[in-house]
Amino acid sequence: MDLALHIFVCKDMHMPIAKHNTQAQAAYQRIKHNILTGHFNQKTRLRELEVAELLGLGRTPVRESLKRLQDEGLLTHEPRRGLVVTSLDAQGIHELYSMRQVLEGAAAGFAAQHARPAEISNMESILADAEAGGDPVTLNLEFHEAIYAAAHNRHLIRSLQSVTDSTYLLGKSTLTSPERALTANAEHAAILDAIRRRDAEAARTAAESHIQQALASRLRLLRQRQKEASEP
């Protein structure tokens, strides 16, 4: 059964959560996923009715989700165009990846120190799925989130979540490129190996290198887009 059709029970209050709220959350997550995979980009006009029809959800939860994403800065209202995915310039991209490099390095270092055996096994399973041809975008997110959880530092996780949400501003993931997905798997393997060996410094260095390579891929993609935009 579709997630939106369920009525869940709140663990704290033991009260049912309205189906409408569940639909709004489903719409929010699916719109973000479409931004990350490049289906929604800076050229896409996100009209409420069209998005609702695409997602197969009601207009009210879609309207609320679009407003939430606009409040978070992921969407921008432009004159004569309406809602579009917010774009970052080269400077903004550098700033974002600089923060990612620091935080991802710290998370990997902490994970090497604090990861439980089951958490390391989970990372191994995610990486195996990626190497077997699973969806690179989804599995990349899962791998990084597994590292965050294994770091066992709530303050770091909050900071990482904020930066991770900002990466949606970049639009289409570089991991949609088969070449980048392949090299990212190798970079993930290096991080995992260091975590497995409990080498915090090696884990931090591998994670920082991974983000540096991701930035290089992102800047190449930006240059390609700018070239295509300038062509008649």
Side-chain angles (χ1 to χ4, degrees), residues 160-225:
L160 279 162
Q161 188 60 60
S162 176
V163 171
T164 299
D165 285 345
S166 296
T167 62
Y168 285 83
L169 296 176
L170 300 171
K172 185 177 181 179
S173 171
T174 58
L175 292 170
T176 56
S177 163
E179 294 79 9
R180 176 56 195 154
L182 186 63
T183 56
N185 285 342
E187 293 160 12
H188 287 167
I191 299 170
L192 177 56
D193 178 65
I195 291 174
R196 193 188 291 114
R197 291 186 288 105
R198 303 296 181 179
D199 189 333
E201 181 60 25
R204 181 189 63 79
T205 300
E208 290 180 351
S209 176
H210 172 55
I211 300 304
Q212 289 171 353
Q213 295 303 315
L215 171 59
S217 295
R218 173 59 61 184
L219 293 176
R220 285 195 295 270
L221 182 60
L222 177 63
R223 289 194 298 272
Q224 180 62 31
R225 287 178 176 172

Short mmCIF file of all heavy atoms in Angstrom, two decimals, residues 160-225:
data_model
loop_
_atom_site.label_atom_id
_atom_site.label_comp_id
_atom_site.label_asym_id
_atom_site.label_seq_id
_atom_site.Cartn_x
_atom_site.Cartn_y
_atom_site.Cartn_z
N LEU A 160 25.47 18.54 9.57
CA LEU A 160 25.55 17.82 8.30
C LEU A 160 24.21 17.82 7.58
O LEU A 160 24.16 17.94 6.35
CB LEU A 160 26.01 16.38 8.55
CG LEU A 160 27.52 16.19 8.73
CD1 LEU A 160 27.81 14.85 9.39
CD2 LEU A 160 28.23 16.29 7.38
N GLN A 161 23.11 17.68 8.33
CA GLN A 161 21.81 17.67 7.70
C GLN A 161 21.51 19.00 7.01
O GLN A 161 20.98 19.03 5.90
CB GLN A 161 20.71 17.37 8.73
CG GLN A 161 19.34 17.16 8.12
CD GLN A 161 19.31 16.01 7.15
OE1 GLN A 161 19.61 14.87 7.52
NE2 GLN A 161 18.98 16.27 5.89
N SER A 162 21.90 20.09 7.65
CA SER A 162 21.69 21.41 7.06
C SER A 162 22.48 21.56 5.77
O SER A 162 21.96 22.04 4.75
CB SER A 162 22.11 22.49 8.05
OG SER A 162 22.01 23.77 7.48
N VAL A 163 23.74 21.13 5.78
CA VAL A 163 24.58 21.23 4.58
C VAL A 163 24.08 20.28 3.50
O VAL A 163 24.05 20.63 2.31
CB VAL A 163 26.06 20.94 4.93
CG1 VAL A 163 26.90 20.83 3.67
CG2 VAL A 163 26.61 22.03 5.83
N THR A 164 23.67 19.08 3.89
CA THR A 164 23.16 18.11 2.92
C THR A 164 21.92 18.65 2.21
O THR A 164 21.77 18.51 1.00
CB THR A 164 22.82 16.77 3.61
OG1 THR A 164 24.02 16.23 4.19
CG2 THR A 164 22.25 15.78 2.62
N ASP A 165 21.03 19.29 2.97
CA ASP A 165 19.84 19.88 2.35
C ASP A 165 20.24 20.95 1.33
O ASP A 165 19.61 21.09 0.28
CB ASP A 165 18.93 20.49 3.41
CG ASP A 165 18.16 19.44 4.20
OD1 ASP A 165 18.12 18.27 3.74
OD2 ASP A 165 17.61 19.78 5.25
N SER A 166 21.29 21.69 1.63
CA SER A 166 21.73 22.74 0.72
C SER A 166 22.29 22.18 -0.58
O SER A 166 22.28 22.86 -1.61
CB SER A 166 22.80 23.61 1.39
OG SER A 166 22.27 24.31 2.50
N THR A 167 22.76 20.93 -0.56
CA THR A 167 23.29 20.35 -1.79
C THR A 167 22.20 20.15 -2.84
O THR A 167 22.51 20.02 -4.02
CB THR A 167 23.98 18.99 -1.52
OG1 THR A 167 23.04 18.06 -1.00
CG2 THR A 167 25.14 19.15 -0.55
N TYR A 168 20.94 20.16 -2.41
CA TYR A 168 19.86 20.05 -3.39
C TYR A 168 19.82 21.26 -4.31
O TYR A 168 19.27 21.20 -5.41
CB TYR A 168 18.51 19.88 -2.67
CG TYR A 168 18.30 18.52 -2.08
CD1 TYR A 168 18.81 18.18 -0.85
CD2 TYR A 168 17.58 17.54 -2.78
CE1 TYR A 168 18.62 16.92 -0.30
CE2 TYR A 168 17.38 16.28 -2.25
CZ TYR A 168 17.91 15.98 -1.01
OH TYR A 168 17.72 14.72 -0.48
N LEU A 169 20.39 22.38 -3.85
CA LEU A 169 20.46 23.57 -4.69
C LEU A 169 21.32 23.35 -5.92
O LEU A 169 21.23 24.09 -6.90
CB LEU A 169 21.01 24.75 -3.89
CG LEU A 169 20.19 25.24 -2.70
CD1 LEU A 169 20.94 26.35 -1.97
CD2 LEU A 169 18.83 25.73 -3.15
N LEU A 170 22.17 22.34 -5.86
CA LEU A 170 23.07 22.07 -6.98
C LEU A 170 22.33 21.42 -8.14
O LEU A 170 22.84 21.36 -9.26
CB LEU A 170 24.21 21.16 -6.53
CG LEU A 170 25.08 21.72 -5.40
CD1 LEU A 170 26.03 20.66 -4.89
CD2 LEU A 170 25.86 22.94 -5.87
N GLY A 171 21.13 20.93 -7.88
CA GLY A 171 20.37 20.28 -8.94
C GLY A 171 20.83 18.86 -9.19
O GLY A 171 21.16 18.13 -8.25
N LYS A 172 20.92 18.49 -10.42
CA LYS A 172 21.24 17.11 -10.81
C LYS A 172 22.54 16.63 -10.18
O LYS A 172 23.57 17.29 -10.23
CB LYS A 172 21.36 17.03 -12.34
CG LYS A 172 21.56 15.63 -12.88
CD LYS A 172 21.58 15.67 -14.40
CE LYS A 172 21.76 14.30 -15.00
NZ LYS A 172 21.77 14.35 -16.49
N SER A 173 22.49 15.44 -9.59
CA SER A 173 23.68 14.88 -8.94
C SER A 173 24.73 14.50 -9.97
O SER A 173 24.42 14.01 -11.06
CB SER A 173 23.28 13.63 -8.14
OG SER A 173 24.42 12.94 -7.68
N THR A 174 26.00 14.72 -9.62
CA THR A 174 27.09 14.30 -10.51
C THR A 174 27.14 12.78 -10.62
O THR A 174 27.74 12.25 -11.56
CB THR A 174 28.44 14.81 -9.98
OG1 THR A 174 28.66 14.30 -8.65
CG2 THR A 174 28.47 16.33 -9.94
N LEU A 175 26.49 12.08 -9.68
CA LEU A 175 26.51 10.62 -9.70
C LEU A 175 25.60 10.02 -10.76
O LEU A 175 25.57 8.80 -10.93
CB LEU A 175 26.12 10.08 -8.32
CG LEU A 175 27.15 10.38 -7.23
CD1 LEU A 175 26.58 10.03 -5.86
CD2 LEU A 175 28.43 9.61 -7.47
N THR A 176 24.87 10.87 -11.48
CA THR A 176 24.12 10.36 -12.62
C THR A 176 25.05 10.01 -13.77
O THR A 176 24.66 9.36 -14.73
CB THR A 176 23.07 11.38 -13.08
OG1 THR A 176 23.72 12.63 -13.37
CG2 THR A 176 22.02 11.60 -12.00
N SER A 177 26.31 10.47 -13.66
CA SER A 177 27.34 10.10 -14.63
C SER A 177 27.92 8.74 -14.23
O SER A 177 28.42 8.60 -13.11
CB SER A 177 28.46 11.14 -14.65
OG SER A 177 29.62 10.62 -15.28
N PRO A 178 27.88 7.74 -15.10
CA PRO A 178 28.42 6.41 -14.75
C PRO A 178 29.88 6.46 -14.34
O PRO A 178 30.31 5.73 -13.43
CB PRO A 178 28.23 5.61 -16.05
CG PRO A 178 27.11 6.29 -16.76
CD PRO A 178 27.26 7.74 -16.45
N GLU A 179 30.66 7.32 -14.99
CA GLU A 179 32.08 7.43 -14.65
C GLU A 179 32.27 7.95 -13.22
O GLU A 179 33.07 7.42 -12.46
CB GLU A 179 32.80 8.35 -15.64
CG GLU A 179 32.87 7.83 -17.07
CD GLU A 179 31.57 8.04 -17.84
OE1 GLU A 179 30.66 8.75 -17.31
OE2 GLU A 179 31.46 7.49 -18.95
N ARG A 180 31.52 9.00 -12.87
CA ARG A 180 31.63 9.55 -11.52
C ARG A 180 31.12 8.55 -10.49
O ARG A 180 31.70 8.42 -9.40
CB ARG A 180 30.87 10.87 -11.43
CG ARG A 180 30.86 11.48 -10.02
CD ARG A 180 32.26 11.68 -9.48
NE ARG A 180 32.26 11.93 -8.04
CZ ARG A 180 33.28 11.66 -7.24
NH1 ARG A 180 34.39 11.14 -7.72
NH2 ARG A 180 33.19 11.91 -5.96
N ALA A 181 30.05 7.85 -10.80
CA ALA A 181 29.51 6.86 -9.87
C ALA A 181 30.54 5.78 -9.58
O ALA A 181 30.69 5.33 -8.43
CB ALA A 181 28.23 6.25 -10.45
N LEU A 182 31.28 5.36 -10.61
CA LEU A 182 32.29 4.31 -10.44
C LEU A 182 33.43 4.79 -9.54
O LEU A 182 33.86 4.07 -8.61
CB LEU A 182 32.83 3.89 -11.80
CG LEU A 182 33.80 2.70 -11.82
CD1 LEU A 182 33.10 1.45 -11.33
CD2 LEU A 182 34.34 2.49 -13.24
N THR A 183 33.92 6.00 -9.80
CA THR A 183 35.03 6.50 -8.97
C THR A 183 34.55 6.81 -7.55
O THR A 183 35.32 6.63 -6.59
CB THR A 183 35.64 7.76 -9.60
OG1 THR A 183 34.62 8.76 -9.78
CG2 THR A 183 36.28 7.45 -10.93
N ALA A 184 33.31 7.23 -7.40
CA ALA A 184 32.77 7.50 -6.06
C ALA A 184 32.72 6.22 -5.25
O ALA A 184 32.99 6.23 -4.04
CB ALA A 184 31.39 8.13 -6.16
N ASN A 185 32.37 5.12 -5.89
CA ASN A 185 32.35 3.84 -5.18
C ASN A 185 33.74 3.50 -4.64
O ASN A 185 33.89 3.02 -3.51
CB ASN A 185 31.87 2.71 -6.10
CG ASN A 185 30.37 2.74 -6.33
OD1 ASN A 185 29.63 3.37 -5.57
ND2 ASN A 185 29.92 2.06 -7.37
N ALA A 186 34.77 3.74 -5.45
CA ALA A 186 36.14 3.48 -5.02
C ALA A 186 36.52 4.39 -3.85
O ALA A 186 37.20 3.97 -2.90
CB ALA A 186 37.11 3.67 -6.18
N GLU A 187 36.07 5.65 -3.91
CA GLU A 187 36.35 6.59 -2.82
C GLU A 187 35.62 6.17 -1.55
O GLU A 187 36.17 6.25 -0.44
CB GLU A 187 35.95 8.00 -3.25
CG GLU A 187 36.82 8.56 -4.37
CD GLU A 187 36.17 9.71 -5.12
OE1 GLU A 187 35.14 10.23 -4.65
OE2 GLU A 187 36.67 10.09 -6.19
N HIS A 188 34.39 5.71 -1.69
CA HIS A 188 33.64 5.21 -0.54
C HIS A 188 34.33 3.99 0.06
O HIS A 188 34.38 3.84 1.30
CB HIS A 188 32.21 4.82 -0.96
CG HIS A 188 31.34 5.99 -1.23
ND1 HIS A 188 30.12 5.88 -1.87
CD2 HIS A 188 31.49 7.32 -0.95
CE1 HIS A 188 29.57 7.07 -1.97
NE2 HIS A 188 30.38 7.96 -1.42
N ALA A 189 34.86 3.13 -0.79
CA ALA A 189 35.56 1.94 -0.31
C ALA A 189 36.77 2.32 0.53
O ALA A 189 37.07 1.67 1.55
CB ALA A 189 35.97 1.06 -1.49
N ALA A 190 37.48 3.38 0.13
CA ALA A 190 38.65 3.84 0.89
C ALA A 190 38.23 4.37 2.26
O ALA A 190 38.91 4.11 3.28
CB ALA A 190 39.39 4.91 0.11
N ILE A 191 37.13 5.11 2.29
CA ILE A 191 36.62 5.61 3.57
C ILE A 191 36.23 4.45 4.47
O ILE A 191 36.59 4.40 5.65
CB ILE A 191 35.41 6.54 3.35
CG1 ILE A 191 35.79 7.76 2.52
CG2 ILE A 191 34.82 6.98 4.70
CD1 ILE A 191 34.60 8.58 2.06
N LEU A 192 35.50 3.50 3.92
CA LEU A 192 35.04 2.34 4.68
C LEU A 192 36.22 1.52 5.21
O LEU A 192 36.20 1.05 6.35
CB LEU A 192 34.13 1.48 3.83
CG LEU A 192 33.61 0.18 4.47
CD1 LEU A 192 32.89 0.45 5.78
CD2 LEU A 192 32.70 -0.55 3.49
N ASP A 193 37.23 1.35 4.39
CA ASP A 193 38.41 0.58 4.82
C ASP A 193 39.06 1.23 6.03
O ASP A 193 39.45 0.54 6.98
CB ASP A 193 39.41 0.48 3.67
CG ASP A 193 40.67 -0.26 4.08
OD1 ASP A 193 40.59 -1.47 4.37
OD2 ASP A 193 41.75 0.37 4.11
N ALA A 194 39.17 2.55 6.02
CA ALA A 194 39.78 3.26 7.15
C ALA A 194 38.90 3.15 8.40
O ALA A 194 39.41 2.97 9.51
CB ALA A 194 40.01 4.72 6.79
N ILE A 195 37.59 3.23 8.23
CA ILE A 195 36.67 3.09 9.36
C ILE A 195 36.78 1.68 9.94
O ILE A 195 36.84 1.48 11.16
CB ILE A 195 35.22 3.40 8.93
CG1 ILE A 195 35.08 4.89 8.62
CG2 ILE A 195 34.24 2.99 10.03
CD1 ILE A 195 33.73 5.28 8.04
N ARG A 196 36.83 0.71 9.06
CA ARG A 196 36.94 -0.69 9.49
C ARG A 196 38.22 -0.92 10.29
O ARG A 196 38.24 -1.70 11.24
CB ARG A 196 36.88 -1.60 8.27
CG ARG A 196 36.67 -3.07 8.59
CD ARG A 196 36.82 -3.93 7.35
NE ARG A 196 35.74 -3.73 6.41
CZ ARG A 196 35.90 -3.20 5.19
NH1 ARG A 196 37.10 -2.79 4.78
NH2 ARG A 196 34.87 -3.07 4.39
N ARG A 197 39.31 -0.24 9.88
CA ARG A 197 40.60 -0.39 10.56
C ARG A 197 40.71 0.51 11.80
O ARG A 197 41.73 0.50 12.47
CB ARG A 197 41.73 -0.06 9.58
CG ARG A 197 41.90 -1.06 8.47
CD ARG A 197 43.13 -0.77 7.61
NE ARG A 197 42.96 0.40 6.74
CZ ARG A 197 43.53 1.58 6.96
NH1 ARG A 197 44.29 1.76 8.03
NH2 ARG A 197 43.33 2.58 6.12
N ARG A 198 39.68 1.29 12.06
CA ARG A 198 39.65 2.20 13.20
C ARG A 198 40.74 3.27 13.12
O ARG A 198 41.26 3.74 14.13
CB ARG A 198 39.79 1.43 14.53
CG ARG A 198 38.74 0.35 14.74
CD ARG A 198 37.36 0.95 14.85
NE ARG A 198 36.32 -0.07 15.09
CZ ARG A 198 35.02 0.19 15.23
NH1 ARG A 198 34.60 1.45 15.15
NH2 ARG A 198 34.16 -0.77 15.42
N ASP A 199 41.05 3.65 11.88
CA ASP A 199 42.07 4.68 11.65
C ASP A 199 41.35 6.00 11.38
O ASP A 199 40.96 6.30 10.24
CB ASP A 199 42.94 4.28 10.45
CG ASP A 199 44.15 5.19 10.28
OD1 ASP A 199 44.08 6.36 10.69
OD2 ASP A 199 45.15 4.73 9.71
N ALA A 200 41.17 6.78 12.43
CA ALA A 200 40.39 8.02 12.33
C ALA A 200 41.03 9.02 11.38
O ALA A 200 40.32 9.68 10.61
CB ALA A 200 40.22 8.64 13.71
N GLU A 201 42.33 9.15 11.40
CA GLU A 201 43.00 10.12 10.54
C GLU A 201 42.87 9.73 9.08
O GLU A 201 42.61 10.58 8.21
CB GLU A 201 44.47 10.24 10.93
CG GLU A 201 45.26 11.26 10.11
CD GLU A 201 44.72 12.68 10.22
OE1 GLU A 201 44.07 13.00 11.23
OE2 GLU A 201 44.95 13.47 9.28
N ALA A 202 43.05 8.44 8.79
CA ALA A 202 42.91 7.97 7.41
C ALA A 202 41.47 8.13 6.92
O ALA A 202 41.23 8.49 5.76
CB ALA A 202 43.34 6.51 7.29
N ALA A 203 40.51 7.89 7.80
CA ALA A 203 39.10 8.05 7.43
C ALA A 203 38.79 9.50 7.12
O ALA A 203 38.10 9.82 6.14
CB ALA A 203 38.21 7.54 8.56
N ARG A 204 39.29 10.41 7.96
CA ARG A 204 39.08 11.84 7.73
C ARG A 204 39.70 12.27 6.40
O ARG A 204 39.05 12.96 5.60
CB ARG A 204 39.68 12.65 8.87
CG ARG A 204 39.48 14.16 8.73
CD ARG A 204 40.28 14.93 9.78
NE ARG A 204 41.71 14.71 9.61
CZ ARG A 204 42.45 15.33 8.68
NH1 ARG A 204 41.89 16.19 7.83
NH2 ARG A 204 43.75 15.10 8.61
N THR A 205 40.92 11.84 6.16
CA THR A 205 41.61 12.22 4.92
C THR A 205 40.89 11.67 3.70
O THR A 205 40.73 12.37 2.69
CB THR A 205 43.07 11.70 4.95
OG1 THR A 205 43.75 12.28 6.07
CG2 THR A 205 43.79 12.06 3.66
N ALA A 206 40.43 10.42 3.77
CA ALA A 206 39.73 9.80 2.64
C ALA A 206 38.42 10.52 2.36
O ALA A 206 38.04 10.73 1.21
CB ALA A 206 39.49 8.32 2.92
N ALA A 207 37.70 10.89 3.42
CA ALA A 207 36.43 11.59 3.25
C ALA A 207 36.64 12.98 2.65
O ALA A 207 35.89 13.42 1.78
CB ALA A 207 35.71 11.70 4.59
N GLU A 208 37.67 13.69 3.12
CA GLU A 208 37.96 15.01 2.57
C GLU A 208 38.35 14.92 1.10
O GLU A 208 37.94 15.75 0.29
CB GLU A 208 39.07 15.67 3.39
CG GLU A 208 38.65 16.07 4.79
CD GLU A 208 39.76 16.73 5.57
OE1 GLU A 208 40.92 16.72 5.08
OE2 GLU A 208 39.49 17.25 6.68
N SER A 209 39.14 13.91 0.76
CA SER A 209 39.52 13.71 -0.64
C SER A 209 38.29 13.41 -1.50
O SER A 209 38.19 13.90 -2.64
CB SER A 209 40.53 12.57 -0.74
OG SER A 209 40.86 12.29 -2.08
N HIS A 210 37.38 12.64 -0.96
CA HIS A 210 36.14 12.31 -1.67
C HIS A 210 35.35 13.57 -2.00
O HIS A 210 34.86 13.73 -3.13
CB HIS A 210 35.31 11.36 -0.80
CG HIS A 210 33.95 11.08 -1.31
ND1 HIS A 210 33.69 10.60 -2.59
CD2 HIS A 210 32.73 11.21 -0.72
CE1 HIS A 210 32.39 10.44 -2.75
NE2 HIS A 210 31.79 10.81 -1.63
N ILE A 211 35.25 14.48 -1.04
CA ILE A 211 34.51 15.71 -1.27
C ILE A 211 35.25 16.61 -2.26
O ILE A 211 34.63 17.29 -3.10
CB ILE A 211 34.26 16.46 0.05
CG1 ILE A 211 33.45 15.58 1.01
CG2 ILE A 211 33.54 17.77 -0.20
CD1 ILE A 211 32.12 15.09 0.43
N GLN A 212 36.57 16.62 -2.23
CA GLN A 212 37.34 17.39 -3.20
C GLN A 212 37.09 16.88 -4.62
O GLN A 212 36.94 17.68 -5.56
CB GLN A 212 38.83 17.29 -2.86
CG GLN A 212 39.23 18.06 -1.62
CD GLN A 212 40.67 17.77 -1.20
OE1 GLN A 212 41.33 16.91 -1.77
NE2 GLN A 212 41.15 18.48 -0.20
N GLN A 213 37.03 15.57 -4.78
CA GLN A 213 36.74 15.00 -6.09
C GLN A 213 35.31 15.30 -6.53
O GLN A 213 35.04 15.55 -7.72
CB GLN A 213 36.98 13.49 -6.07
CG GLN A 213 38.43 13.09 -5.85
CD GLN A 213 39.35 13.68 -6.90
OE1 GLN A 213 39.05 13.66 -8.09
NE2 GLN A 213 40.47 14.24 -6.46
N ALA A 214 34.40 15.31 -5.58
CA ALA A 214 33.01 15.64 -5.89
C ALA A 214 32.90 17.09 -6.35
O ALA A 214 32.15 17.41 -7.29
CB ALA A 214 32.13 15.41 -4.66
N LEU A 215 33.66 17.98 -5.71
CA LEU A 215 33.67 19.39 -6.13
C LEU A 215 34.21 19.52 -7.54
O LEU A 215 33.64 20.27 -8.36
CB LEU A 215 34.52 20.21 -5.16
CG LEU A 215 34.80 21.67 -5.58
CD1 LEU A 215 33.51 22.45 -5.75
CD2 LEU A 215 35.72 22.35 -4.55
N ALA A 216 35.29 18.82 -7.85
CA ALA A 216 35.86 18.90 -9.21
C ALA A 216 34.83 18.45 -10.25
O ALA A 216 34.69 19.07 -11.31
CB ALA A 216 37.11 18.03 -9.29
N SER A 217 34.09 17.39 -9.93
CA SER A 217 33.06 16.89 -10.85
C SER A 217 31.93 17.91 -11.00
O SER A 217 31.42 18.13 -12.10
CB SER A 217 32.50 15.56 -10.35
OG SER A 217 33.48 14.56 -10.37
N ARG A 218 31.56 18.54 -9.88
CA ARG A 218 30.49 19.53 -9.92
C ARG A 218 30.89 20.74 -10.76
O ARG A 218 30.08 21.25 -11.56
CB ARG A 218 30.16 19.98 -8.49
CG ARG A 218 29.17 21.12 -8.38
CD ARG A 218 27.85 20.79 -9.02
NE ARG A 218 27.21 19.63 -8.39
CZ ARG A 218 26.08 19.08 -8.81
NH1 ARG A 218 25.45 19.60 -9.87
NH2 ARG A 218 25.57 18.03 -8.20
N LEU A 219 32.12 21.19 -10.64
CA LEU A 219 32.57 22.35 -11.41
C LEU A 219 32.66 22.03 -12.90
O LEU A 219 32.37 22.88 -13.74
CB LEU A 219 33.92 22.84 -10.88
CG LEU A 219 33.89 23.44 -9.47
CD1 LEU A 219 35.30 23.79 -9.01
CD2 LEU A 219 32.97 24.65 -9.41
N ARG A 220 33.05 20.79 -13.22
CA ARG A 220 33.05 20.38 -14.64
C ARG A 220 31.64 20.41 -15.20
O ARG A 220 31.41 20.85 -16.33
CB ARG A 220 33.66 18.98 -14.79
CG ARG A 220 35.17 18.95 -14.66
CD ARG A 220 35.74 17.64 -15.17
NE ARG A 220 35.31 16.51 -14.36
CZ ARG A 220 35.98 16.07 -13.30
NH1 ARG A 220 37.10 16.67 -12.91
NH2 ARG A 220 35.54 15.02 -12.61
N LEU A 221 30.68 19.93 -14.41
CA LEU A 221 29.29 19.94 -14.84
C LEU A 221 28.79 21.36 -15.02
O LEU A 221 28.07 21.66 -15.98
CB LEU A 221 28.43 19.18 -13.82
CG LEU A 221 26.94 19.05 -14.13
CD1 LEU A 221 26.72 18.31 -15.45
CD2 LEU A 221 26.23 18.31 -12.99
N LEU A 222 29.19 22.25 -14.11
CA LEU A 222 28.78 23.66 -14.21
C LEU A 222 29.33 24.29 -15.48
O LEU A 222 28.60 25.00 -16.20
CB LEU A 222 29.27 24.43 -12.98
CG LEU A 222 28.99 25.93 -12.98
CD1 LEU A 222 27.49 26.20 -12.98
CD2 LEU A 222 29.65 26.60 -11.76
N ARG A 223 30.59 24.01 -15.79
CA ARG A 223 31.18 24.57 -17.02
C ARG A 223 30.47 24.05 -18.25
O ARG A 223 30.24 24.80 -19.21
CB ARG A 223 32.67 24.23 -17.07
CG ARG A 223 33.53 24.99 -16.06
CD ARG A 223 35.01 24.87 -16.40
NE ARG A 223 35.46 23.48 -16.36
CZ ARG A 223 35.92 22.89 -15.27
NH1 ARG A 223 35.97 23.55 -14.13
NH2 ARG A 223 36.36 21.65 -15.31
N GLN A 224 30.09 22.78 -18.22
CA GLN A 224 29.39 22.19 -19.36
C GLN A 224 28.03 22.84 -19.56
O GLN A 224 27.62 23.14 -20.68
CB GLN A 224 29.22 20.69 -19.14
CG GLN A 224 28.48 19.95 -20.27
CD GLN A 224 29.22 20.03 -21.58
OE1 GLN A 224 30.46 20.10 -21.62
NE2 GLN A 224 28.49 20.04 -22.69
N ARG A 225 27.33 23.09 -18.46
CA ARG A 225 26.03 23.74 -18.55
C ARG A 225 26.16 25.15 -19.08
O ARG A 225 25.34 25.61 -19.88
CB ARG A 225 25.36 23.74 -17.19
CG ARG A 225 24.84 22.38 -16.72
CD ARG A 225 24.25 22.47 -15.34
NE ARG A 225 23.68 21.21 -14.92
CZ ARG A 225 23.23 20.97 -13.68
NH1 ARG A 225 23.29 21.93 -12.77
NH2 ARG A 225 22.71 19.80 -13.37
#
